[in-house]
Amino acid sequence: MTRKVPFGRQMRDAYFGFSPSYTPLNHGSFGTAPLPVIAHQRAFDTLATERPDTFIVFDLPRLIDESRNAVTPLLGVPVDEVVFVPNATTGINTVLRNLKFDEGDVIVHFSTIYDACEKTVASVGELEPLTRRCIEIEYPIEDEEIVRRFREMVKTVRDEGKNVKIAMFDTVLTFPGARMPWEELTMACKELGVLSLIDGAHGIGHIDLTHLGKVGPDFFVSNCHKWLFTPRGCAIFHVPLRNQHLIHTSIPTSHGYSYTSSPPPPSVDGKSHFVLLFEFVATIDYTPYLVVPAAIAFRNEVCGGEAAIWSYCYSLARGGGDIVASILGTERMDNKTHTLTQCSFANIRLPIPFTSPTTTSSSSTNPTPIIFTPKKATAIAVWLNRTAVDEHDTYLQIAFHGNVLWVRLSAQVYIGKEDFEWIGHVLVGLCARVRGGEVVF
């Protein structure tokens, strides 16, 4: 497949509706949908406006089925194992709030867990006899070491006489933006008899998932509105047939729920109870689900297919990240095997020095340059983010990791290396102002 318009500025101008002054470098947080896909969504919304009852009762189930059939080839799983939920956080909540936990049950996750998922685990632990154990990792790190630490944690918990019931990990981390060895971790879970719950928020449309069925995680959720080009919010929720009996209710509980004392009646159209459970979950805007076929068609017909998108974005993330790092005089995060950078994110160290976490203050005899304490990292990140918005009309995803302040930049088909070069020079000025003492604590 060949694309109609070159990637970069021409793709942006032809198919995306950004404000002319806005430079979008943070696709990973909320994604965006191309204008033709948004047009499809508006057409569905018009149908729902014209005949709300018939659209919701009769058309919606059929259209959702068409989307489920369209998306499963990207996952390599049967269509009866995939439903839609509004976002990955809903999917994570659905799994953890359906499982039954006994005394001594433990959930294992990594220190890089997404904040909302960590809070979900904590919330479930307030109601269920579930405790959690966190595996500390600091990037850059090799995949082999991540898997080793996971195995070691499972052994440690079991040596304490407890049961690791489930492990949660990512396909690609939110921060730092790094690909995790989710396949190897899933295999380790199988070997160790631990349920695997994968937060693939940065998954579909971002990395190849066509082997998901062969890898065989126990639960998998992935946002379509981040990297697959659907409107917000739309996510796929994959549960293999072997585990669907564990999912008793959607979140929130709605019409598809059946009392445990009354087995669900057979569906007149042959749909499984799992599929029906999520087909209509209260009154929300379902149109983002319905345009999945249009989003996939755009990726194939306009962009040239998944492989062409990944090739461009991965190369841009590495090359553009190196440009920014060169301008700043720092480096782009990577590991020796380059596995963590097999994605569309670039993490670049900002030239803002911090004292060691064990150091209480910087030297008073040499106040220039200022060396900041780690406690000030959050305030600096907030100032950088807000100033970039106010003065440069762009949004920067910045966070503190490993005693370093990193900026995470997203590569996408509508930007080019000139955008990375531009933000590199913007960051030079912003970081100089931080070092000059402009941030007030």
Side-chain angles (χ1 to χ4, degrees):
M1 290 178 284
T2 58
R3 57 181 178 268
K4 296 181 179 180
V5 175
F7 291 149
R9 174 61 66 169
Q10 291 186 58
M11 180 66 70
R12 167 180 169 155
D13 292 344
Y15 291 105
F16 291 87
F18 297 110
S19 168
S21 65
Y22 186 70
T23 303
L25 294 166
N26 186 41
H27 183 96
S29 285
F30 304 110
T32 196
L35 295 174
V37 177
I38 293 174
H40 272 80
Q41 182 191 24
R42 289 173 177 165
F44 284 125
D45 190 59
T46 297
L47 293 175
T49 300
E50 292 174 344
R51 294 178 177 83
D53 300 283
T54 57
F55 181 82
I56 293 172
V57 175
F58 296 110
D59 296 335
L60 189 61
R62 171 181 55 82
L63 293 167
I64 289 178
D65 287 345
E66 290 178 6
S67 290
R68 289 172 51 241
N69 278 283
V71 81
T72 49
L74 299 180
L75 304 169
V77 299
V79 67
D80 286 344
E81 296 183 349
V82 175
V83 294
F84 289 105
V85 291
N87 47 62
T89 303
T90 300
I92 296 296
N93 272 263
T94 301
V95 174
L96 294 181
R97 297 185 188 280
N98 270 277
L99 294 179
K100 303 300 180 184
F101 298 101
D102 299 319
E103 289 293 338
D105 279 349
V106 175
I107 181 170
V108 169
H109 63 78
F110 291 89
S111 57
T112 48
I113 186 174
Y114 183 57
D115 182 60
C117 292
E118 184 174 17
K119 290 182 177 180
T120 300
V121 172
S123 174
V124 172
E126 292 179 337
L127 303 174
E128 296 276 348
L130 175 70
T131 58
R132 61 191 178 103
R133 299 292 289 272
C134 178
I135 303 168
E136 293 292 333
I137 56 174
E138 183 179 302
Y139 279 82
I141 188 174
E142 299 298 332
D143 290 353
E144 184 179 275
E145 177 62 13
I146 292 174
V147 177
R148 187 195 69 78
R149 292 188 191 184
F150 172 72
R151 290 179 175 276
E152 185 179 76
M153 177 61 79
V154 174
K155 181 180 184 303
T156 297
V157 172
R158 288 176 172 172
D159 287 346
E160 294 171 357
K162 298 178 180 179
N163 172 51
V164 179
K165 179 156 187 173
I166 189 167
M168 181 161 55
F169 44 89
D170 301 68
T171 47
V172 179
L173 294 172
T174 293
F175 209 97
R179 193 187 193 281
M180 284 198 84
W182 63 274
E183 297 99 332
E184 291 86 349
L185 288 167
T186 301
M187 295 303 180
C189 285
K190 287 184 175 182
E191 179 187 327
L192 296 168
V194 175
L195 290 173
S196 54
L197 169 56
I198 300 182
D199 176 9
H202 302 281
I204 191 166
H206 190 177
I207 60 174
D208 184 9
L209 294 174
T210 54
H211 58 310
L212 180 69
K214 293 182 179 179
V215 177
D218 290 297
F219 307 97
F220 181 90
V221 63
S222 187
N223 287 325
C224 299
H225 58 251
K226 283 185 183 287
W227 298 95
L228 197 66
F229 292 159
T230 72
R232 296 172 288 270
C234 175
I236 58 99
F237 180 37
H238 163 62
V239 181
L241 289 174
R242 68 179 185 274
N243 289 333
Q244 289 181 5
H245 69 284
L246 298 173
I247 305 300
H248 302 284
T249 180
S250 58
I251 302 294
T253 299
S254 193
H255 300 284
Y257 176 77
S258 294
Y259 294 98
T260 54
S261 58
S262 304
S267 169
V268 294
D269 52 10
K271 293 181 184 179
S272 69
H273 175 59
F274 173 72
V275 171
L276 291 174
L277 193 62
F278 293 90
E279 188 169 80
F280 184 84
V281 182
T283 303
I284 62 172
D285 181 9
Y286 289 90
T287 58
Y289 299 0
L290 309 184
V291 297
V292 167
I296 294 173
F298 177 87
R299 296 170 71 83
N300 288 333
E301 298 167 11
V302 176
C303 298
E306 299 297 306
I309 294 171
W310 298 333
S311 177
Y312 177 81
C313 292
Y314 294 7
S315 177
L316 178 61
R318 292 189 293 269
D322 286 339
I323 289 172
V324 176
S326 176
I327 293 171
L328 292 173
T330 61
E331 72 276 344
R332 172 176 58 87
M333 180 189 289
D334 205 350
N335 55 6
K336 292 180 180 178
T337 52
H338 308 298
T339 54
L340 74 84
T341 54
Q342 295 301 308
C343 65
S344 300
F345 284 132
N347 307 283
I348 300 98
R349 180 174 66 84
L350 296 179
I352 299 173
F354 290 89
T355 60
S356 166
T358 58
T359 304
T360 57
S361 64
S362 59
S363 172
S364 59
T365 59
N366 185 19
T368 304
I370 298 174
I371 300 179
F372 300 94
T373 61
K375 290 183 179 180
K376 296 180 179 179
T378 298
I380 293 171
V382 169
W383 182 90
L384 287 168
N385 177 284
R386 186 71 252 181
T387 307
V389 170
D390 291 342
E391 299 182 7
H392 302 281
D393 201 12
T394 192
Y395 188 96
L396 298 174
Q397 191 66 38
I398 298 170
F400 196 60
H401 179 79
N403 209 48
V404 171
L405 207 56
W406 302 88
V407 59
R408 188 200 74 185
L409 302 176
S410 302
Q412 194 44 268
V413 298
Y414 50 71
I415 61 175
K417 287 187 177 181
E418 67 276 10
D419 296 300
F420 279 80
E421 183 175 2
W422 172 80
I423 195 62
H425 291 294
V426 168
L427 284 166
V428 165
L430 293 177
C431 291
R433 289 163 65 181
V434 171
R435 295 193 304 270
E438 188 166 332
V439 180
V440 178
F441 301 99

